[in-house]
Amino acid sequence: MTYNIAIDGPAGAGKSTIARRVAKELSFIYVDTGAMYRTIALSLLRSRINAQNETQVAEALPEIQVSIAYQDGEQQMLLNGENVSGLIRTEEVGNMASKAAALPCVRAKLLDLQKELARTHDVVMDGRDIGTNILPEAQLKIYLTASVDTRAARRFRELEEKGMAGSFEEIREDIIQRDEQDMHREIAPLMQAEDAIFLDSSDMTIDEVTEKIKSLCR
Ligand code: DC
């Protein structure tokens, strides 16, 4: 049997940084499910499909092939065979992903891939509905959050490092809007699973959060 750690939480809570670290230290695979939604979003943006138009999206989906590969232990996203990992980190793609992720047809498309990875590997999987929906049997579930200002500041710094920063206020507004969308959709909304452990990382370092999760795991 495989060991699965589910990490859910709102945008900018530090899920990917923490999940990647924990996975590395435990020799598990890190699975970034947000990247899968972002890959579909990129494809929809390229085809100028409106994510609010479910019929159009459903028609486009069969032509969108999402798969993953690992390069030096890092998850790479393939869109119809093209490595798009470097193209999916923009706010535009993130917002589109949040819209598309509210559609049942989009979620259904990614369900098997996510479940299969966890069935066949020890994983740290992060997203919005991992503990509640995708891996209800995960041995350890974490709900990782931080204050809106902390999350916006982290996102701002991350984008700044990539030379892509917009205004702090805009990023903060984006985060609030994205949380609203992700928490209030009908299907698989972001929420803390009953058996998930709540961690607020606002005043914790990356090392502290990583150690906490590892000790919970032990
Ligand atoms: O974690 P992220 O910012 O890369 O995710 C992008 C969007 O994808 C997020 O706003 C909501 C959606 N998502 C989801 O609905 N379910 C997941 N398990 C992961 C992401």
Side-chain angles (χ1 to χ4, degrees):
M1 194 162 127
T2 56
Y3 195 98
N4 296 161
I5 301 177
I7 304 184
D8 292 300
K15 298 185 298 294
S16 60
T17 306
I18 298 297
R20 185 178 281 113
R21 268 281 288 277
V22 172
K24 191 166 181 201
E25 293 184 20
L26 297 175
S27 299
F28 284 19
I29 286 182
Y30 165 46
V31 182
D32 175 358
T33 63
M36 299 176 185
Y37 288 95
R38 284 171 181 265
T39 299
I40 292 183
L42 177 69
S43 178
L44 297 175
L45 281 167
R46 281 178 171 176
S47 317
R48 299 183 194 286
I49 288 169
N50 177 357
Q52 249 97 30
N53 187 332
E54 191 168 4
T55 314
Q56 254 188 34
V57 175
E59 274 169 19
L61 280 182
E63 305 302 318
I64 303 177
Q65 252 138 62
V66 178
S67 51
I68 65 172
Y70 285 91
Q71 229 170 56
D72 302 325
E74 281 286 312
Q75 175 182 318
Q76 305 292 315
M77 289 311 311
L78 306 180
L79 170 59
N80 297 329
E82 173 194 355
N83 190 334
V84 294
S85 308
L87 304 174
I88 57 175
R89 293 292 151 203
T90 65
E91 291 300 285
E92 187 191 18
V93 173
N95 290 333
M96 184 67 163
S98 175
K99 289 196 187 93
L103 302 176
C105 58
V106 170
R107 304 203 74 81
K109 186 177 176 86
L110 297 175
L111 191 88
D112 290 343
L113 175 60
Q114 294 169 2
K115 286 193 180 214
E116 186 60 14
L117 280 164
R119 197 182 63 77
T120 49
H121 301 85
D122 294 330
V123 295
V124 182
M125 188 177 285
D126 78 359
R128 302 295 187 287
D129 65 333
I130 310 305
T132 49
N133 235 348
I134 303 295
L135 307 178
E137 308 295 331
Q139 286 87 343
L140 177 60
K141 298 180 186 177
I142 306 289
Y143 188 85
L144 185 66
T145 189
S147 70
V148 171
D149 283 326
T150 307
R151 293 189 284 123
R154 286 178 187 161
R155 229 339 107 85
F156 181 75
R157 251 180 278 131
E158 190 182 308
L159 290 171
E160 205 177 35
E161 275 165 24
K162 291 182 191 155
M164 304 192 314
S167 83
F168 176 79
E169 259 319 302
E170 248 173 60
I171 290 173
R172 192 174 181 280
E173 280 311 307
D174 256 16
I175 281 188
I176 292 171
Q177 200 194 329
R178 199 120 80 74
D179 290 351
E180 176 70 24
Q181 244 165 211
D182 295 342
M183 288 173 171
H184 298 290
R185 65 182 177 221
E186 262 171 54
I187 178 169
L190 167 63
M191 63 169 147
Q192 185 179 345
E194 254 175 44
D195 50 351
I197 291 154
F198 180 90
L199 280 183
D200 184 328
S201 72
S202 303
D203 299 313
M204 289 172 87
T205 64
I206 293 171
D207 280 346
E208 284 168 345
V209 182
T210 306
E211 276 316 308
K212 177 80 194 169
I213 295 177
K214 278 169 62 188
S215 75
L216 287 166
C217 184
R218 280 193 289 269

